[in-house]
Amino acid sequence: MAKDTKQRILAVALEMFSQKGYAGTNIRELTASLGLVKSSLYRHFCSKEEIWNTLLDEMTAYYDAHFGSAEHLPPVPDSLEEMVTMTRRMADFTIHDKNIVMTRKLLVTEQFRDARAQQLATKHFLTGLQDIFTPVFAGMVEKGLLRREDPAMLAFAYTAPITALIHLCDREPEKIPEAAAQIEAFSRQFLNNHKK
Amino acid sequence: MAKDTKQRILAVALEMFSQKGYAGTNIRELTASLGLVKSSLYRHFCSKEEIWNTLLDEMTAYYDAHFGSAEHLPPVPDSLEEMVTMTRRMADFTIHDKNIVMTRKLLVTEQFRDARAQQLATKHFLTGLQDIFTPVFAGMVEKGLLRREDPAMLAFAYTAPITALIHLCDREPEKIPEAAAQIEAFSRQFLNNHKK
DNA sequence: TTGACAAGTGACCTATCGTTCACTATACTA
DNA sequence: TAGTATAGTGAACGATAGGTCACTTGTCAA
């Protein structure tokens, strides 16, 4: 239970920070939910803030590993309907993956109090998706699926509304089915509007 | 200094809550910034939570007063460029008005911990703008400025990217000029893409 | 079997939290 | 002028925060 406990602490911390915020989380409750006593935590972390920093480190590493290199870029679809399907699949994943949901919540709630959270928030919610989708749209233009327009602007206009609905799902999970349908409807309408 | 102090407390509370969150704000610091001692606060509010609830009451009242009735709807523009101008004007206002910025920050950071903040967040960031812009787009379609499409979908696709950039401005105020330019570019491109 | 080390414990520390209360100063009213 | 609210004060409250430390427990290598 050596590194195991450390990882379990981080998992619970992510959960609590994302629900009640950093300031609203206390380490007694945190350790108690692991069957530990608060002093045990200090065998693994020297302070509450170190837990926070470690979580941000992990987020940064995870993000870079999954979205940082060109090899992880989604393939350029061969049809508009394939793009709709890919979008739905990506949205479904990011809406339902618990760790990703908690990470988003944490970045949302702490973005004004922590400079690193602020940077990560902009990456996760705005520029990151743009960077991923810009080459996809460029490829679709090259394939003659879409009219020739600025791919970066297309990516922005495409991803921002979807991100807004993902945020809605984080806030009101009972609206997930409705939001998922809206994402698909928007996707189809958007692509139709820009098709060649 | 009767009602005056109460309003000053609310103003500082909004500022502090929006910067450090509800849990991260303490009333000693809050009252000290007004030249008062912490016990004086309890002449005006019976608890920290009552301050919070009063702020939410004021936000709700303000929102309903300004965006709740049809009479406050923006006029239907007579040209696409006029729509660009109106959009820029509205965005400029909402990006720079300090109270609105603080209100947004507060709703963003507290949306997962307070049910009323959650509801207001969805209204402010998603459905509210859609409700406002849907009749505008319907009117533009009627005037023959835009192709006939679902006005609600147009409003969603138009307002969501702008809202994303407004959130960016809240997060990184130094990017306001860049974001304002992006809003205008997006607006023009969007309207061009849907023009008749 | 023993020694060493990491993990976990419980008592305790100081600081700070939100809140209360008896009291004072001020201002208006009868 | 006396009386009465109202606003503000300072000391103190209990609760809880994050953190420390001497100690016990369990594991495993020598």
Side-chain angles (χ1 to χ4, degrees):
Chain A
M1 280 222 183
K3 286 288 161 59
D4 183 36
T5 299
K6 188 160 189 169
Q7 280 313 122
R8 288 197 306 148
I9 289 173
L10 286 172
V12 175
L14 173 59
E15 196 176 330
M16 293 193 144
F17 287 165
S18 71
Q19 274 172 16
K20 332 197 239 175
Y22 177 80
T25 298
N26 75 78
I27 55 160
R28 276 173 175 84
E29 199 180 338
L30 196 162
T31 49
S33 82
L34 291 170
L36 292 176
V37 127
K38 69 175 169 6
S39 59
S40 306
L41 181 137
Y42 294 90
R43 295 285 151 204
H44 305 280
F45 297 95
C46 72
S47 68
K48 183 185 179 184
E49 206 188 346
E50 202 204 2
I51 301 177
W52 168 257
N53 285 323
T54 307
L55 278 178
L56 286 188
D57 290 344
E58 286 198 347
M59 284 175 203
T60 305
Y62 182 90
Y63 193 90
D64 290 347
H66 286 76
F67 309 107
S69 62
E71 56 176 309
H72 290 100
L73 282 180
V76 178
D78 289 315
S79 71
L80 300 187
E81 200 51 36
E82 196 183 313
M83 179 69 164
V84 173
T85 303
M86 183 186 90
T87 302
R88 185 182 353 103
R89 228 182 41 242
M90 289 179 73
D92 268 3
F93 175 72
T94 205
I95 287 170
H96 289 99
D97 186 284
K98 283 188 180 180
N99 274 293
I100 296 181
V101 170
M102 290 190 292
T103 300
R104 265 199 309 269
K105 286 184 169 189
L106 185 145
L107 294 178
V108 162
T109 55
E110 304 299 326
Q111 61 181 318
F112 302 122
R113 267 160 280 160
D114 183 280
R116 291 176 70 197
Q118 174 204 294
Q119 289 180 345
L120 283 171
T122 295
K123 219 195 259 185
H124 279 71
F125 305 148
L126 199 66
T127 57
L129 279 169
Q130 260 182 274
D131 293 345
I132 289 169
F133 275 86
T134 297
V136 173
F137 278 108
M140 291 176 77
V141 168
E142 286 313 310
K143 282 190 183 176
L145 292 170
L146 299 175
R147 285 199 307 274
R148 190 163 292 277
E149 294 177 69
D150 176 17
M153 179 64 91
L154 282 171
F156 168 62
Y158 188 68
T159 57
I162 293 170
T163 302
L165 289 171
I166 290 169
H167 281 133
L168 172 67
C169 293
D170 292 341
R171 198 160 46 228
E172 307 182 44
E174 72 276 12
K175 291 189 180 165
I176 288 180
E178 183 192 341
Q182 272 185 40
I183 287 174
E184 183 160 347
F186 166 77
S187 168
R188 193 165 276 120
Q189 196 260 9
F190 181 94
L191 297 170
N192 236 330
N193 246 300
H194 293 82
K195 76 167 176 237
K196 201 158 189 177
Chain B
M1 279 217 183
K3 284 290 160 58
D4 184 37
T5 299
K6 187 160 189 168
Q7 281 311 122
R8 288 197 306 148
I9 289 173
L10 286 172
V12 176
L14 173 60
E15 196 176 332
M16 294 195 144
F17 286 166
S18 72
Q19 274 171 18
K20 333 200 244 172
Y22 177 80
T25 298
N26 74 76
I27 56 160
R28 275 175 177 83
E29 199 180 338
L30 196 161
T31 49
S33 82
L34 291 170
L36 291 178
V37 128
K38 67 189 164 9
S39 59
S40 306
L41 181 137
Y42 293 91
R43 294 286 153 205
H44 306 280
F45 297 95
C46 70
S47 69
K48 184 185 181 185
E49 206 188 345
E50 201 203 3
I51 301 176
W52 168 256
N53 285 323
T54 306
L55 278 178
L56 286 188
D57 289 345
E58 286 197 348
M59 285 174 202
T60 305
Y62 182 89
Y63 194 90
D64 290 347
H66 285 76
F67 310 107
S69 61
E71 57 177 306
H72 289 100
L73 283 180
V76 178
D78 289 316
S79 71
L80 300 189
E81 201 51 37
E82 195 182 312
M83 178 70 164
V84 172
T85 304
M86 181 185 93
T87 301
R88 182 177 2 99
R89 229 184 39 244
M90 288 178 74
D92 268 3
F93 174 72
T94 205
I95 287 170
H96 289 99
D97 185 283
K98 283 188 180 181
N99 273 294
I100 295 181
V101 170
M102 291 191 292
T103 300
R104 264 199 309 268
K105 286 185 169 187
L106 185 144
L107 293 178
V108 162
T109 55
E110 304 298 328
Q111 60 181 319
F112 301 122
R113 268 161 279 161
D114 184 282
R116 291 175 70 195
Q118 174 203 296
Q119 289 180 345
L120 284 170
T122 294
K123 219 195 258 185
H124 278 70
F125 305 148
L126 199 66
T127 58
L129 279 172
Q130 259 183 274
D131 292 345
I132 289 169
F133 274 87
T134 297
V136 173
F137 277 108
M140 291 176 76
V141 168
E142 287 311 309
K143 282 188 182 176
L145 292 170
L146 298 176
R147 285 199 307 277
R148 188 162 295 277
E149 293 178 70
D150 175 18
M153 178 64 90
L154 282 171
F156 168 63
Y158 188 67
T159 57
I162 294 169
T163 302
L165 289 171
I166 290 169
H167 281 132
L168 172 68
C169 293
D170 293 341
R171 199 160 44 229
E172 307 181 45
E174 72 275 13
K175 293 190 179 165
I176 287 180
E178 183 192 342
Q182 272 186 38
I183 287 175
E184 184 159 346
F186 166 77
S187 169
R188 195 165 275 118
Q189 196 262 9
F190 181 94
L191 297 170
N192 236 329
N193 245 302
H194 292 82
K195 77 168 176 232
K196 202 157 188 177

